[in-house]
Amino acid sequence: QVQLVESGGGLVQAGGSLRLSCAASGSRFSIDVMGWYRQPPGKQRELVAKVFSSGYTNYADSVKGRFTISRDTAKNTVYLQMNSLKPEDTAVYYCHAVQSRIYWGQGTQVTVSS
């Protein structure tokens, strides 16, 4: 059973930066995929970015060039560096991991003020 613990959310002005972290515990093996989804107010959850154990990354078009996902495989930790934040990035951000099944973190709020 994998547990995901997120940190780093908060309130920031438009144009600012935040860094999210997600640490996975409870796994004896390297996790296949780790990443971030977000759920804006009144909308469905959507992919932000994910990184595979191979190092391959995948980003939503809306964050390309602004967000960077990285991973410390040895620590089973994933990071999301978010730059040039926009009010439309406001959402609850969920850490996501895949190892035989899908795991979710509890979510962390990111609010970008205009």
Side-chain angles (χ1 to χ4, degrees), residues 7-85:
S7 60
L11 172 65
V12 65
Q13 289 188 333
S17 298
L18 282 174
R19 188 188 193 217
L20 304 182
S21 300
C22 173
S25 62
S27 174
R28 295 169 53 195
F29 307 102
S30 177
I31 296 175
D32 299 324
V33 186
M34 296 190 73
W36 296 91
Y37 281 68
R38 67 186 181 187
Q39 188 163 15
K43 297 184 179 181
Q44 291 186 332
R45 195 173 296 189
E46 61 186 18
L47 171 70
V48 177
K50 55 186 175 182
V51 56
F52 293 77
S53 56
S54 64
Y56 174 80
T57 57
N58 186 26
Y59 292 90
D61 288 342
S62 59
V63 306
K64 284 180 180 177
R66 299 188 298 122
F67 292 10
T68 302
I69 191 168
S70 60
R71 178 174 176 177
D72 186 332
T73 302
K75 295 181 179 179
N76 273 341
T77 300
V78 65
Y79 307 94
L80 185 69
Q81 178 65 43
M82 303 185 293
N83 298 328
S84 302
L85 282 161

Side-chain angles (χ1 to χ4, degrees), residues 82-98:
M82 303 185 293
N83 298 328
S84 302
L85 282 161
K86 304 176 181 180
E88 51 263 43
D89 294 318
T90 295
V92 178
Y93 283 69
Y94 295 92
C95 183
H96 166 268
V98 179

